[in-house]
Amino acid sequence: MKRPKQLPLTETTYYILLALIEPAHGYAVMQLVDDLSDGDVKIAAGTMYGAIENLLKLHWIASVPSNDARRKVYQITEAGKEILILETKRLRKLTQIAEHFHL
């Protein structure tokens, strides 16, 4: 099977999509990515909102209703989940190959 042109994802994009499995606003996503990555991936506000714009254009995330009028809330879409699953499979395959070489 040919790999989609969108893969591989950047580490930041991968974490953002993971974080948006549950609805969240940008700042909450930034905090969750920091937590999930044990502080290895820190997303600046400008990077976060640029990523959100790009993910919206790709239809991998969508804006969802929120009780807080001051913050936009986003969630991963089915298309976003599909790309996240494909990327996760790709990463697992790489890990299996490395394990074969006892790394």
Side-chain angles (χ1 to χ4, degrees):
M1 179 170 91
K2 189 172 180 182
R3 179 166 66 185
K5 67 178 181 176
Q6 298 94 340
L7 297 182
L9 298 178
T10 65
E11 191 172 19
T12 300
T13 299
Y14 186 80
Y15 275 113
I16 291 170
L17 290 174
L18 276 177
L20 288 174
I21 287 176
E22 296 293 326
H25 56 80
Y27 184 71
V29 171
M30 290 165 53
Q31 290 178 311
L32 184 55
V33 168
D34 187 58
D35 290 345
L36 290 172
S37 70
D38 294 326
D40 290 341
V41 177
K42 297 196 182 295
I43 304 174
T47 301
M48 183 69 221
Y49 293 103
I52 285 173
E53 287 297 317
N54 189 44
L55 294 171
L56 286 167
K57 286 178 188 173
L58 290 167
H59 304 288
W60 291 356
I61 66 169
S63 183
V64 294
S66 167
N67 294 333
D68 187 346
R70 299 172 304 147
R71 294 182 171 154
K72 287 188 179 180
V73 175
Y74 305 94
Q75 187 169 14
I76 194 169
T77 62
E78 287 304 314
K81 285 179 188 174
E82 288 176 25
I83 207 75
L84 185 60
I85 289 167
L86 288 172
E87 179 68 349
T88 301
K89 287 179 181 178
R90 187 187 74 80
L91 293 169
R92 283 187 182 129
K93 183 177 179 182
L94 286 174
T95 302
Q96 290 171 348
I97 292 166
E99 288 172 352
H100 176 76
F101 291 98
H102 307 288
L103 297 174

